[in-house]
Amino acid sequence: VSIRDVASHAGVSVGTVSNVLNRPDIVAPTTRTRVLAAITELGFVPNDAARQLRRGKGRTLGLVVLDVANPFFTDVAKGVEDTTGAAGMAVIFCNSDGNLTKENAYLDLLEEQRVQGVLITPIHDASTRLHQLRDRGVLVVLLDRRSRQPDICSVSVDDRLGGELAMRHLVESGHRRIAFVGGPHRLEQVHDRYHGAIQALTDAGLTEEEHLRRYDTPALTVTAGRDAAARILGQPKNTRATAIFCANDLLALGALQVLTRQQIRVPHDIALVGYDDIEFAAAAAVPLSSVRQPRQRLGQTAAELLLDEANNPQTHQHHQVIFEPELVVRESSQFARP
């Protein structure tokens, strides 16, 4: 059913139907009632995409995350949706899978859809592609990634501090052989968490070479955590790690599965700390110690920044918001080694 069908059925012009849909206050009440009745009878659905194209400005935003299967990003998306929904905006949710080709394909699609803006956890820092979007009028806010460009807003967490918190806890619990599980290290979050851990070792007078072993993973997933734990357990018992710091909770939960199946006592034989503090961390068979990030607040704040720039382009100021993480200690690491 087209707008012309509605106009013919109601006995009015196409322009009058358009006014009823977009500026009903200028249409006489009786005419408006007749047009609305025709819309209902014919089952007409307005083509919002076409209206957006005419205005050159949509009521949708794009959200591009690294891994939709990670509950961390689900919580971030909830914060985004709560904020944008209250503002009458819809969100197109995209999963890059940490793949640059997919990320660029989604950015092309979102631009074609005339989205008003894009919230993105990019694989790399603000890329040329993101600057192209901005030059073409699409707003961009980096999410869970700090912007090094003063003209792009970002919302992130101090991941170096988070790495320090986790490693300091393990060192103070008496651990001197510690494994770091995470990857790929090209992801800024993984890089920063690892180097924060190294800083905590240095502050304690310990060395990376002697006290920390890195187990790289291809992704931040449960499967990768299982594989890393199997590699750790493959080391001689008198030299293998007595504690594991994982770059996210999914890795830690995968590692915990393997440790439990192999009858490794957590935390007495091997302590375990994750990162993100997703809901499943506290509900694990052995409640998981984790570095907590304000997940929904990340999404809410990023959406607020984008909406402010959209609604107040002349007065908007770009901000790089950085939240501080906190360590939540649970049973998986509550053991002081003699």
Side-chain angles (χ1 to χ4, degrees):
V1 179
S2 71
I3 193 171
R4 293 184 183 280
D5 296 328
V6 173
S8 176
H9 192 77
V12 298
S13 69
V14 170
T16 298
V17 178
S18 178
N19 285 334
V20 170
L21 294 172
N22 298 293
R23 296 181 295 168
D25 53 297
I26 69 171
V27 182
T30 55
T31 302
R32 188 166 67 239
T33 299
R34 194 162 72 250
V35 170
L36 291 175
I39 288 173
T40 300
E41 291 170 15
L42 296 177
F44 172 71
V45 178
N47 188 338
D48 189 56
R51 285 190 288 175
Q52 291 181 27
L53 286 172
R54 288 194 295 272
R55 292 197 305 264
K57 187 177 183 181
R59 292 192 298 112
T60 56
L61 303 175
L63 172 61
V64 185
V65 301
L66 292 174
D67 182 9
V68 70
N70 187 339
F72 167 79
F73 287 112
T74 305
D75 290 342
V76 170
K78 178 69 165 58
V80 171
E81 197 278 332
D82 285 347
T83 302
T84 55
M89 305 287 287
V91 179
I92 301 174
F93 197 14
C94 307
N95 175 40
S96 73
D97 263 336
N99 183 303
L100 188 59
T101 300
K102 283 188 69 174
E103 180 183 283
N104 287 330
Y106 274 125
L107 292 177
D108 291 342
L109 174 65
L110 293 172
E111 187 174 13
E112 291 169 6
Q113 294 297 315
R114 300 295 197 274
V115 295
Q116 191 166 36
V118 172
L119 303 166
I120 182 170
T121 305
I123 296 170
H124 302 300
D125 195 16
S127 63
T128 302
R129 184 70 185 87
L130 294 179
H131 283 288
Q132 288 175 346
L133 283 179
R134 286 181 55 80
D135 292 342
R136 295 170 183 167
V138 180
L139 306 179
V140 174
V141 174
L142 302 190
L143 178 54
D144 195 33
R145 174 68 60 84
R146 184 176 182 180
S147 173
R148 293 180 174 82
Q149 310 296 326
D151 62 337
I152 294 182
C153 286
S154 66
V155 182
S156 62
V157 173
D158 188 343
D159 283 316
R160 282 184 177 258
L161 174 59
E164 288 183 43
L165 292 174
M167 184 58 70
R168 186 181 306 137
H169 166 61
L170 293 173
V171 169
E172 290 177 351
S173 296
H175 296 281
R176 294 298 181 267
R177 298 195 306 272
I178 302 169
F180 178 87
V181 172
H185 279 254
R186 60 181 168 80
L187 293 178
E188 187 171 311
Q189 295 92 327
V190 176
H191 175 275
D192 285 352
R193 292 166 196 179
Y194 179 68
H195 285 275
I198 293 174
Q199 184 61 55
L201 284 177
T202 302
D203 292 345
L206 306 176
T207 65
E208 175 187 359
E209 294 75 17
E210 185 177 358
H211 301 284
L212 183 64
R213 179 173 294 184
R214 194 171 106 178
Y215 290 82
D216 292 352
T217 62
L220 299 168
T221 62
V222 171
T223 299
R226 293 192 197 107
D227 293 342
R231 281 185 279 156
I232 292 170
L233 293 183
Q235 301 298 312
K237 186 174 181 180
N238 63 335
T239 61
R240 75 186 181 198
T242 63
I244 304 172
F245 170 34
C246 293
N248 82 345
D249 285 343
L250 294 184
L251 290 169
L253 291 171
L256 181 60
Q257 288 180 358
V258 171
L259 296 175
T260 302
R261 288 172 186 166
Q262 295 298 318
Q263 297 184 338
I264 302 297
R265 298 176 302 162
V266 178
H268 300 83
D269 298 327
I270 296 180
L272 187 61
V273 176
Y275 203 107
D276 290 339
D277 196 31
I278 61 176
E279 184 176 350
F280 298 116
V286 180
L288 182 65
S289 296
S290 184
V291 179
R292 175 179 292 167
Q293 301 195 76
R295 302 177 303 279
Q296 290 195 25
R297 284 189 65 196
L298 282 169
Q300 291 168 354
T301 304
E304 289 168 357
L305 288 172
L306 192 146
L307 291 174
D308 182 69
E309 186 173 2
N311 297 328
N312 308 291
Q314 303 303 320
T315 59
H316 174 79
Q317 294 185 348
H318 296 294
H319 295 281
Q320 282 74 50
V321 179
I322 304 175
F323 290 105
E324 286 196 356
E326 61 175 311
L327 176 67
V328 180
V329 178
R330 298 190 180 96
E331 188 179 333
S332 71
S333 65
Q334 284 183 329
F335 178 72
R337 294 189 66 81

